[in-house]
Amino acid sequence: MKHIITGLTLSLWTFSALFAQEQKTYPEQEPMGPKMTEYWTPQPKVVTPGDILTNTAPSDAIVLFDGKNLSQWTNGKGGDAGWRVHDGIVTVDKSKGDIVTRQSFGSFQLHLEWCVPQGITGSSQGRGNSGVFLQDRYEVQILDNYQNETYVNGYVGAIYKQTPPMANPMRKPGEWNVYDIIYTAPVFKEDGSFLYHPYVTVILNGVLVQNHTEIWGTTEYIGLPKVKPHGDGPLRLQAHGDKSEPISFRNIWVRPLK
Ligand code: MG
């Protein structure tokens, strides 16, 4: 009899426990509504775009050259930039060396236009050679590759001696070429190696030639890329020592990116 009562009690207790468990409730999952995946701040800043037909600068750009003077540039050695400004453009003076921006930049969007003179002579790398050095050390090549071949990782639109361009959309001498360059600055580890490489996207005359391309280090003429930690750096335009007639630039502006 005692066993029966004990067994019954145990069964009742088990039943009660199970029942209690079944009764336990949790909050209902909130139904998903459209506003749950929408956010309103911070609003994008209003920027007045330039005229895309004439490539004028947008309202928040730093204008580096507007055809009037080289006040935003130096010779990189403490003196003024010595290239010749005329007719709203600036022409490279190879005897005066490179020119370098007074300001330094981290990541940025850069616009610049350049023109190879009609009747230019020379071949391969010796024909309209220049370049734009990002943060003063990573060269995006400028070269007259209109009906002029050279080593592919030295072409116009190349990350010099690293990555060839995906196309050659050069305009012929006498016409203006347009570069739009989006650059992401590198981050370094304490030991001086890259935590994040620099990256660059390059559009030449509306054609994508570098698509978020990893930069391996400095763009050396001789030898492999070097990796040296650095902070913000200026832009440098190259006065290459080739024997060909000098190229010209116009309409240069940059938008630093946070
Ligand atoms: Mg060059």
Side-chain angles (χ1 to χ4, degrees):
M1 186 65 175
K2 190 181 172 186
H3 290 294
I4 294 168
I5 291 170
T6 308
L8 193 62
T9 308
L10 199 62
S11 302
L12 278 170
W13 183 85
T14 307
F15 179 77
S16 305
L18 280 171
F19 185 75
Q21 214 170 33
E22 281 170 14
Q23 287 300 104
K24 193 172 179 182
T25 58
Y26 295 94
E28 288 282 319
Q29 181 74 44
E30 281 284 312
M32 186 61 81
K35 290 197 165 110
M36 289 178 172
T37 47
E38 298 167 2
Y39 64 100
W40 284 73
T41 56
Q43 291 279 310
K45 66 177 176 177
V46 174
V47 173
T48 306
D51 181 341
I52 58 168
L53 296 179
T54 54
N55 289 317
T56 52
S59 60
D60 65 342
I62 296 170
V63 176
L64 296 174
F65 179 63
D66 63 359
K68 296 190 181 83
N69 58 61
L70 288 176
S71 60
Q72 295 286 334
W73 300 79
T74 73
N75 63 2
K77 298 166 191 153
D80 289 337
W83 294 3
R84 191 166 68 92
V85 178
H86 61 102
D87 307 312
I89 66 176
V90 59
T91 298
V92 177
D93 184 336
K94 298 184 190 197
S95 70
K96 302 281 173 59
D98 299 350
I99 65 169
V100 180
T101 56
R102 292 186 189 280
Q103 291 186 64
S104 287
F105 306 100
S107 301
F108 55 79
Q109 173 189 352
L110 171 68
H111 175 97
L112 79 163
E113 301 173 26
W114 49 279
C115 184
V116 173
Q118 277 183 307
I120 189 167
T121 57
S123 63
S124 187
Q125 293 285 305
R127 184 180 167 100
N129 198 330
S130 181
V132 52
F133 286 77
L134 316 178
Q135 293 196 309
D136 208 17
R137 40 181 61 75
Y138 310 119
E139 183 183 8
V140 175
Q141 176 68 304
I142 290 174
L143 190 70
D144 177 21
N145 280 121
Y146 184 81
Q147 299 180 347
N148 173 42
E149 295 183 343
T150 189
Y151 46 89
V152 291
N153 55 351
Y155 252 76
V156 65
I159 312 307
Y160 185 67
K161 294 265 181 112
Q162 295 185 20
T163 307
M166 293 187 288
N168 173 13
M170 267 297 294
R171 294 197 172 117
K172 62 186 176 197
E175 297 182 4
W176 285 88
N177 294 283
V178 181
Y179 258 150
D180 287 290
I181 296 174
I182 296 102
Y183 173 75
T184 305
V187 177
F188 292 90
K189 296 180 193 169
E190 275 191 14
D191 68 5
S193 62
F194 285 130
L195 176 61
Y196 303 119
H197 282 250
Y199 285 88
V200 70
T201 294
V202 180
I203 298 170
L204 173 58
N205 296 329
V207 176
L208 185 68
V209 294
Q210 299 287 347
N211 183 15
H212 194 59
T213 301
E214 183 181 273
I215 297 174
W216 305 334
T218 55
T219 47
E220 303 288 333
Y221 175 48
I222 299 172
L224 298 173
K226 295 185 173 69
V227 179
K228 291 180 192 164
H230 62 85
D232 289 357
L235 292 160
R236 174 183 293 265
L237 296 179
Q238 186 182 39
H240 192 278
D242 73 20
K243 299 286 185 282
S244 69
E245 297 73 11
I247 72 166
S248 298
F249 291 88
R250 72 178 183 190
N251 194 20
I252 308 173
W253 51 261
V254 64
R255 296 179 64 246
L257 304 174
K258 293 286 184 286

